Amino acid sequence: NLLGEEECLRGRVIRANEVADLIDYIGCGPFRATPTKDSGRAPIGLDGYPELVAASELPLVAIGDVTADDAYAIRTRPA
């Protein structure tokens, strides 16, 4: 695992900044609980992304049962 076992998602984002020359984006989630995969992590939800976006030097890709409506809401959410 390139980013290590950091438990805090924000910590993983900060770690990803340190290796930004090796990666193109960060998959960040789950957005909500999904019926197909139990990640063992609590869903981030709409309110969780602004802090991560602010901390990241890389594009974030929301994962985990994201719909087209969710993508728009995440993208336009104020920090």
Side-chain angles (χ1 to χ4, degrees), residues 7-76:
E7 289 299 316
C8 168
L9 192 51
R10 187 174 187 279
R12 284 184 173 227
V13 168
I14 291 169
R15 172 70 181 120
N17 290 337
E18 296 172 7
V19 294
D21 58 325
L22 302 174
I23 56 180
D24 297 317
Y25 64 90
I26 303 169
C28 210
F31 178 72
R32 70 171 55 90
T34 129
T36 58
K37 181 180 179 186
D38 179 12
S39 69
R41 293 185 303 265
I44 296 172
L46 191 57
D47 294 332
Y49 283 91
E51 175 188 11
L52 300 175
V53 169
S56 184
E57 296 172 12
L58 295 157
L60 297 182
V61 177
I63 59 173
D65 202 30
V66 180
T67 68
D69 289 338
D70 296 328
Y72 179 78
I74 292 167
R75 176 129 174 88
T76 59

Side-chain angles (χ1 to χ4, degrees), residues 1-8 12:
N1 182 338
L2 185 63
L3 299 181
E5 296 303 317
E6 173 71 47
E7 289 299 316
C8 168
R12 284 184 173 227

